[in-house]
Amino acid sequence: MVDLDIKGFFDNINHDLMMKALRHYCKDEWVAMYVSRWLKAGIMAEGEFVRTSAGTPQGGVVSPLLANLYLHVAFDEWMKRFHPEKPFERYADDVVIHCKTEKQAQFMPRQISQRMRVCHLELHPVKTKIVNLRGWSETKYTRKYDFLGFTIKASMQTIKGRGMLLPGTFVSIKSKTAILGKFRELAIHKWRKPIQEIARRLNPVVRGLLNYYHKLRGESMREVWNQLNHRLLKWVKWEKGLYKMAAVRWLKRQYKSSPGLFAHWKLVQP
């Protein structure tokens, strides 16, 4: 398979091609007028006004929609027309293409690179790579890739009593680092609130993580939930003025009296 990365995608979207794609799917001229004005409005960089001749500002409310429209024409429709036998997944500018043979995997980046140049885009020469999740190949390729917060990599799995090398899905190290960084920024141990209020504020975040990362395999999230419990323990020590073991006992009593207080306690007990 091929893991594609488009170099500076949001900064290099061609305005003329963007407007051509927009007018193809949207016949309302007032929409085209406002999008055109927005693309050419320019940006403030370090206190100075800079005109924009290409690209769509990252963080802009319309940018994700326009970026998807651009690649729908530049990539999706092109693949359906010229390579319909090769399935692919795309989310914004993250693209994965499945190939049946090593030769196909070597051929596709060259073809796509030519297509991207026509659309004023460029594949990243380093981040675009061939990935071999299973099987033998003449050339040694990387055995994993990241996609939408997960790492997909070759792992040994037992099927009907036989060990087989198959693709497995795990929470990526980058995602776990970002989540732990978010918990650290919250500085939970400094919140001077009852534990019920802390649970009320944290649970929407925790449920969102559970709903996303535990749909497949959540074992690799155990480290995250242990770290969250550690931060709750630190809150107990600060708020109640207790030493470690007394704080542990206090938190365990909260779990026994209300095991569903924190959404992640159903997976990892304090």
Side-chain angles (χ1 to χ4, degrees), residues 196 251-262 265:
Q196 291 79 10
L251 197 58
K252 284 184 178 294
R253 285 198 299 271
Q254 305 307 307
Y255 171 75
K256 288 181 180 179
S257 64
S258 184
L261 181 60
F262 289 91
W265 277 2

Side-chain angles (χ1 to χ4, degrees), residues 102-139:
E102 183 180 5
K103 288 185 177 180
Q104 281 186 0
Q106 293 171 340
F107 172 74
M108 286 306 296
R110 296 195 296 268
Q111 292 292 103
I112 296 170
S113 182
Q114 293 176 13
R115 172 60 179 172
M116 290 297 105
R117 280 197 292 270
V118 172
C119 300
H120 301 268
L121 297 173
E122 178 185 357
L123 292 184
H124 197 290
V126 177
K127 294 182 180 180
T128 295
K129 57 184 181 292
I130 297 174
V131 182
N132 182 18
L133 292 180
R134 56 186 298 184
W136 178 88
S137 62
E138 295 182 0
T139 307

Side-chain angles (χ1 to χ4, degrees), residues 28-53:
D28 295 325
E29 279 301 317
W30 67 270
V31 174
M33 178 186 70
Y34 280 113
V35 169
S36 178
R37 288 179 179 179
W38 184 76
L39 289 173
K40 298 175 181 177
I43 59 173
M44 293 297 294
E46 298 180 357
E48 294 186 5
F49 175 76
V50 179
R51 294 189 179 279
T52 49
S53 58

Side-chain angles (χ1 to χ4, degrees), residues 59-88:
V61 292
V62 191
S63 287
L65 178 62
L66 294 180
N68 264 316
L69 176 58
Y70 194 89
L71 276 184
H72 176 72
V73 177
F75 181 78
D76 300 356
E77 292 300 311
W78 178 81
M79 282 289 292
K80 290 177 183 178
R81 181 178 179 184
F82 293 100
H83 301 279
E85 77 287 355
K86 298 178 182 67
F88 66 90

Side-chain angles (χ1 to χ4, degrees), residues 6 10 13 15 33 76 86 93 119 122 134 139 149 163-164 168 177 183 187 207 210 214 228 231 235 248 251 255 257:
I6 301 174
F10 284 91
I13 291 176
H15 288 175
M33 178 186 70
D76 300 356
K86 298 178 182 67
D93 59 333
C119 300
E122 178 185 357
R134 56 186 298 184
T139 307
M164 301 178 67
T177 302
F183 288 154
R207 289 193 190 99
L210 288 170
H214 283 260
L228 181 54
R231 296 194 175 279
W235 173 86
V248 169
L251 197 58
Y255 171 75
S257 64

